[in-house]
Amino acid sequence: MTEQGVRWTAEQVLALAPDDASRKAGGRLGGAGPWSQTGGSASGAVWGLCKGSGRTPYRTVVDLTGPAYKCSCPSRKFPCKHALGLLLLWAAEGVGDPAQAPEWAGEWLEERAAKTAPPVDAKPVDEEAVRKRAERRAARIGAGVVELEQRLADLLRSGLAGQEQAGYGAWEETAARMVDAQAPGLAARVRELGAIPGCGPGWPARMLEEFALLHLLDRAWLGVSGLPERLAATVRTRVGLPPSAEGEAVRDHWLVLAQYDSVSPDGRLTTRRIWLRGLASGRPALVLDFGPPGRAPGLALPVGLVLEAEAHFRPGSAGLRADLGERGAAAVPGDRVPAGVSAQAALEEYGAALREDPWLESWPVVLGPVVPIPGEPGWQLADPEGAAALPVPLAGAGSGSRSGLWRLAALSGGGPVTVFGEVGHRGFTPLTAWQPDTPEPVALV
């Protein structure tokens, strides 16, 4: 059982913390002192009572197959410090032999099992009503696209020189118009345009690049009925339509390659990106979760864990975007370094993906073995033989963290390492690294 036999590392537990304060507070609760009546089940759950400031201890239970958490404390953070402390205790000392869950923990675990059970047969769908709603939405999006094209044409006619002083307001207004047109994907791209003038030197060229990609998406939508189905599905996804059909379901053991958060330009939304790789299929998967202002996304999967699950891939998005469905046993730490490819092969993979999705900003790749080479104006990741290298951007979107790069250099010590990251038109952004023959990953973000 991972359940109790193969435990996570302390680093993997603390990676679940929603913020630094929770990480520190959870660390203080990772010993046996405040805990009583701890236990665990063979199905992958741990529970315990944690002494707090009041007379009644907090009831804490964690489902390792999620992971998911329940605690009677008033904290609105997920996981709270008590859940983190319980997991640290389990990771360090275990919680004894598998046992029957107490009533308070068993009720929550049964509720979770019921929620994740396959749904019962739904009511018949009114296909005609669905078709009419889709036609009305397509008409609204079409009108929004025409308006957006006019806005881009006006800007190009007047030039970009005044954009640094123009501010964000006009772009936010245009984005709101795209929301009214029921095209949230276009709205998101417009908001990103508004942030470009403040991103440093070279912004006009980058803005023109984004103009061109947005214009391409507009024209693709206006002619979507004549596109090949796979490309048409990508266009619908990029505009912001939900998938019209069920995607492929792949059951595999998925290695968590990376997890990191980003905040929207307006600060209203936190997006968590979790990269997975199927150990049997070799297929990459991107799982997204979202959090409102001031609250971290709920889904957290520590880097280096392997979970058995069914991934449901969405049509479009170059076959990357997936939702996790039914899961098997609790996640366990990976026992091997993922196989890597050369720098040239990474570029070829990215090029192939662009043929399916021209708006794809990056493609997940495991590079290895490669040697990190510091330098100015930027770093590189080079094949050991020096046949090819990928630049690492140090500024702007998709750039590598300088502290993470120095961590990578220290891990390498001048020798080859395996690195997972995202390769795009600006270079390679490293996210996770492994030393040779050491399956424990080192997060770089």
Side-chain angles (χ1 to χ4, degrees), residues 61-70 106-117 327:
V61 57
V62 179
D63 181 357
L64 297 168
T65 63
Y69 326 91
K70 175 70 174 179
E107 289 178 355
W108 179 74
L109 292 169
E110 289 173 3
E111 290 175 4
R112 266 190 54 77
K115 289 178 181 178
T116 56
R327 305 191 196 182

Side-chain angles (χ1 to χ4, degrees), residues 114-435:
K115 289 178 181 178
T116 56
V120 297
D121 293 339
K123 295 180 180 179
V125 176
D126 187 339
E127 298 290 348
E128 181 64 19
V130 170
R131 184 185 64 80
K132 289 182 178 179
R133 284 197 298 270
E135 289 177 350
R136 288 196 295 270
R137 183 170 185 179
R140 291 192 192 99
I141 294 174
V145 164
V146 171
E147 180 181 343
L148 181 56
E149 283 287 278
Q150 185 61 53
R151 163 85 166 139
L152 294 179
D154 291 344
L155 276 170
L156 289 173
R157 194 175 297 113
S158 60
L160 303 180
Q163 283 301 302
E164 281 187 297
Q165 290 75 37
Y168 192 74
W171 291 109
E172 182 59 37
E173 180 182 349
T174 303
R177 297 284 294 170
M178 295 304 102
V179 171
D180 292 342
Q182 295 185 293
L186 292 178
R189 298 189 77 94
V190 168
R191 289 193 177 99
E192 291 174 359
L193 275 174
I196 290 177
C199 71
W203 69 263
R206 186 173 170 222
M207 196 166 210
L208 285 174
E209 290 174 0
E210 294 301 322
F211 273 19
L213 288 171
L214 190 53
H215 172 67
L216 180 64
L217 183 56
D218 288 346
R219 302 308 301 176
W221 172 260
L222 295 175
V224 69
S225 60
L227 297 177
E229 182 51 40
R230 291 189 64 170
L231 183 56
T234 296
V235 171
R236 296 186 189 101
T237 299
R238 291 296 180 183
V239 166
L241 289 177
S244 58
E246 286 288 332
E248 181 183 5
V250 179
R251 189 167 192 87
D252 205 336
H253 288 82
W254 300 93
L255 172 64
V256 183
L257 292 170
Q259 173 182 287
Y260 67 95
D261 294 348
S262 60
V263 180
S264 62
D266 58 10
R268 297 176 183 173
L269 184 70
T270 298
T271 301
R272 174 163 294 166
R273 290 172 171 81
I274 302 176
W275 284 110
L276 308 175
R277 185 189 209 183
L279 296 184
S281 64
R283 183 165 182 173
L286 174 62
V287 178
L288 299 182
D289 197 22
F290 305 93
R295 187 165 180 174
L299 180 63
L301 296 174
V303 176
L305 289 188
V306 175
L307 63 150
E308 181 187 358
E310 189 171 70
H312 298 271
F313 286 88
R314 300 188 179 190
S317 299
L320 286 177
R321 179 78 187 277
D323 300 303
L324 291 180
E326 181 185 355
R327 305 191 196 182
V332 300
D335 61 359
R336 70 193 72 173
V337 178
V341 300
S342 68
Q344 181 60 41
L347 291 175
E348 291 173 358
E349 287 187 22
Y350 178 50
L354 282 176
R355 288 195 288 271
E356 285 194 40
D357 184 353
W359 302 275
L360 190 68
E361 294 183 3
S362 59
W363 180 257
V365 171
V366 177
L367 283 179
V370 289
V371 178
I373 303 175
E376 293 295 340
W379 290 51
Q380 292 184 338
L381 292 174
D383 295 333
E385 301 81 9
L390 292 176
V392 178
L394 296 178
S399 61
S401 154
R402 286 187 180 269
S403 62
L405 290 175
W406 285 114
R407 196 178 308 130
L408 176 60
L411 186 74
S412 163
V417 290
T418 299
V419 184
F420 169 75
E422 300 169 357
V423 61
H425 68 282
R426 299 180 64 236
F428 183 87
T429 302
L431 301 174
T432 310
W434 296 261
Q435 288 180 312

